[in-house]
Amino acid sequence: MLTIGQLAAYAGVTVRAVRHYHQIGLLPEPERDASGYRRYGATAVVSLIKIRTLADAGVPLSRIGGMLEADAASFAEGVRRIDDRLRAEIARLESSREQIARLASGDGLVLPPEIVSYLDRLRGLGVSERIVEGERDGWILVSARWPDRVRAFMPGKFAQLEDPRVVRLYRVLSEIIEGGPDDDRLLVEAADIMAGLFEQAYADGQTEFGGTVHDHQPFDLLESLALEADPRAERMVELMRERGWNGWTRMERLPRRPSRPDGPAPKRPG
Amino acid sequence: MLTIGQLAAYAGVTVRAVRHYHQIGLLPEPERDASGYRRYGATAVVSLIKIRTLADAGVPLSRIGGMLEADAASFAEGVRRIDDRLRAEIARLESSREQIARLASGDGLVLPPEIVSYLDRLRGLGVSERIVEGERDGWILVSARWPDRVRAFMPGKFAQLEDPRVVRLYRVLSEIIEGGPDDDRLLVEAADIMAGLFEQAYADGQTEFGGTVHDHQPFDLLESLALEADPRAERMVELMRERGWNGWTRMERLPRRPSRPDGPAPKRPG
DNA sequence: CCTTGACCCTGACGCAGCGTCAACCCTTCA
DNA sequence: TGAAGGGTTGACGCTGCGTCAGGGTCAAGG
């Protein structure tokens, strides 16, 4: 007769595992000797080895009991199900590996390559790192909502960087965010540039992202993001309102209301 | 401002997950509104998306906090460690798949192919299924102890099946185990055959499994196994003792003690 | 005004498969 | 006789949430 330790050693498992199998009813509790020790016979050894064989093959403990009693047909069926589970799990891990391979290179977190190059372009233009990070976070928001369509936005964004006004805008924003003294003139200049760009795009019949977007939540979030990053964004919103635009993250005209520049924000139509 | 449900929906996670991240300090608790609801801003959305990006890549939650703050070098180091973990896990699952592929075919549980064919040979010889199962369980025990060497035993076992006495032995054992009326003459015949085989092997200078085995525990277990399967095995031990052999699972002579066939079992030497 | 349904809140258990104390008993050897 | 090295039960810990239970809140419709 074997003690629990001998049994466990023979089958190559831990004592704790054997007790666990008792607890879940997978291995029957054996007789106890006079001092309360469990005493095992050879059948227990065989059962335990069978259990470990199935467990090592990836069968969950909860199903091992059934499989040991099953006939050949349902055993095979059970094996098929386990294999499906294993394959699915492997596939999950493989895709995780692809993900972290992409994490290892790139802008810290997974963004489409076009966006990563766009951010690098901004850095190359001397744009402040904080502005670049803000841009990146903004694109994270946009990519989360439109993972498939976000790449289509990028050629337009790259084209904009050819316009000296846009470059100037980014530089002014960099100065604002890095600047110590609160210089309202820089904010006004930025607002003027943006309003000018908006006017031109609007006149050309462009709307934001080619007019394909009807869900405004990401833009609201972009505005919040800017506000949370720097409270002076509030002033930008005000300046854009004065120039007839509803904020600066979306390209949307305010209804004309010339005599009350500080009135309540009009509701956006549906 | 977003509610927890809106936040979760935007990032594609469950509300419960967001609360979990609060609980473990991965995502900071936001302000509450008048009714105690959590209210989130855009930075929370960005943080949550970053968290999910890493989590989906297989990073454990406990390390995500650190990785989000890490510089490029330690981020890369972290990524490497995660990838190692993932590869190890995949390898484990792959080997599980191999295991269950072997389970699907074969004698129910993984045994070397030689043993499986040996068991099939027994079936072909008309040996009772219960005897075959007993043999299989016995081989499970032996294989667990000597997984590498067990295959080397098999050619000898196959050769034995050429001997009509061995075949007769298996058939007698089958009759015993299936038989209703307790027929001692069958037991005696089986013992006679076994003793004869042992004598001959012993005279030829053979010991069990070529004398390579010095660990007797598996043989003790085999004997227990037989006893647990059928108490008449006790009688077999007795009959073999009378014929000068210490049991029937190992080939070991008793010291001569002709006048006391029922004496206490002598201790085996070291 | 009341009801309904969809949210939100906290707190707690459950899952797989054991590892790891804690606190105590049994056996064996020096 | 005492220390080492077994054994015993019981309980918490780990991961990443799912899923009650037992409430409160919000927006809209009858």
Side-chain angles (χ1 to χ4, degrees), chain B residues 40 67 89 145 169 183 260 268 270:
Chain B
Y40 298 89
M67 290 193 63
E89 185 67 8
R145 181 61 90 193
L169 173 60
D183 193 342
R260 294 187 53 201
R268 265 183 282 109

Side-chain angles (χ1 to χ4, degrees), chain A residues 5-24:
Chain A
Q6 293 169 321
L7 169 70
Y10 197 104
V13 305
T14 65
V15 170
R16 184 63 185 87
V18 175
R19 287 205 273 249
H20 183 60
Y21 301 153
H22 289 320
Q23 221 174 347
I24 63 178

Side-chain angles (χ1 to χ4, degrees), chain B:
Chain B
M1 289 305 242
L2 305 174
T3 68
I4 195 171
Q6 294 169 319
L7 170 70
Y10 197 105
V13 306
T14 66
V15 169
R16 182 64 183 86
V18 175
R19 286 203 272 247
H20 183 60
Y21 301 152
H22 288 321
Q23 218 175 347
I24 63 179
L26 190 48
L27 193 63
E29 281 275 3
E31 306 278 301
R32 307 297 182 107
D33 67 11
S35 59
Y37 288 13
R38 293 176 179 88
R39 290 296 176 167
Y40 298 89
T43 42
V45 181
V46 173
S47 299
L48 183 52
I49 292 172
K50 288 178 180 175
I51 289 169
R52 281 316 308 173
T53 303
L54 287 172
D56 290 341
V59 181
L61 296 189
S62 55
R63 287 214 203 131
I64 289 182
M67 290 193 63
L68 286 177
E69 293 170 1
D71 56 52
S74 45
F75 186 89
E77 164 65 11
V79 162
R80 211 181 46 70
R81 278 214 304 272
I82 306 302
D83 195 52
D84 288 348
R85 248 178 22 90
L86 289 177
R87 271 187 318 182
E89 185 67 8
I90 289 173
R92 225 175 45 78
L93 294 178
E94 298 280 15
S95 85
S96 282
R97 282 201 68 197
E98 284 176 32
Q99 288 290 100
I100 78 156
R102 292 179 56 195
L103 281 179
S105 65
D107 211 79
L109 289 161
V110 178
L111 282 173
E114 289 89 343
I115 296 182
V116 174
S117 353
Y118 183 76
L119 297 174
D120 285 340
R121 275 286 290 281
L122 291 184
R123 288 195 187 90
L125 291 169
V127 173
S128 144
E129 189 58 29
R130 288 179 59 196
I131 293 283
V132 175
E133 281 172 13
E135 279 269 345
R136 186 200 57 195
D137 287 354
W139 285 110
I140 286 176
L141 287 177
V142 174
S143 302
R145 181 61 90 193
W146 301 299
D148 300 325
R149 288 154 60 193
V150 70
R151 304 175 68 165
F153 300 163
M154 300 316 294
K157 295 296 289 181
F158 273 104
Q160 284 176 21
L161 288 186
E162 303 301 318
D163 186 333
R165 292 174 295 174
V166 173
V167 175
R168 173 67 189 156
L169 173 60
Y170 270 118
R171 294 207 170 118
V172 170
L173 291 173
S174 297
E175 271 190 69
I176 292 169
I177 208 157
E178 300 291 348
D182 232 348
D183 193 342
D184 200 60
R185 281 175 312 169
L186 287 172
L187 282 161
V188 170
E189 184 182 352
D192 282 337
I193 298 174
M194 264 191 288
L197 290 166
F198 277 20
E199 291 294 347
Q200 183 187 330
Y202 201 82
D204 292 354
Q206 297 171 19
T207 62
E208 57 199 352
F209 298 126
T212 57
V213 164
H214 302 289
D215 171 8
H216 289 267
Q217 191 185 10
F219 296 100
D220 294 342
L221 282 176
L222 287 181
E223 200 162 301
S224 307
L225 192 61
L227 272 166
E228 290 168 32
D230 193 320
R232 281 170 294 184
E234 183 71 49
R235 174 71 176 139
M236 275 300 290
V237 174
E238 193 186 321
L239 290 169
M240 289 302 285
R241 289 240 169 86
E242 288 174 8
R243 283 156 184 75
W245 295 95
N246 181 15
W248 52 288
T249 58
R250 88 207 77 200
M251 201 164 63
E252 190 179 274
R253 270 204 194 281
L254 285 176
R256 294 246 211 156
R257 200 170 299 185
S259 59
R260 294 187 53 201
D262 260 329
K267 278 214 167 180
R268 265 183 282 109

Side-chain angles (χ1 to χ4, degrees), chain A residues 3-54:
Chain A
T3 67
I4 195 171
Q6 293 169 321
L7 169 70
Y10 197 104
V13 305
T14 65
V15 170
R16 184 63 185 87
V18 175
R19 287 205 273 249
H20 183 60
Y21 301 153
H22 289 320
Q23 221 174 347
I24 63 178
L26 191 49
L27 194 63
E29 281 275 2
E31 307 278 301
R32 307 296 183 106
D33 67 11
S35 60
Y37 288 15
R38 292 177 179 86
R39 289 297 176 167
Y40 298 89
T43 42
V45 182
V46 175
S47 299
L48 183 52
I49 292 172
K50 288 179 179 174
I51 288 168
R52 280 316 308 174
T53 304
L54 287 173

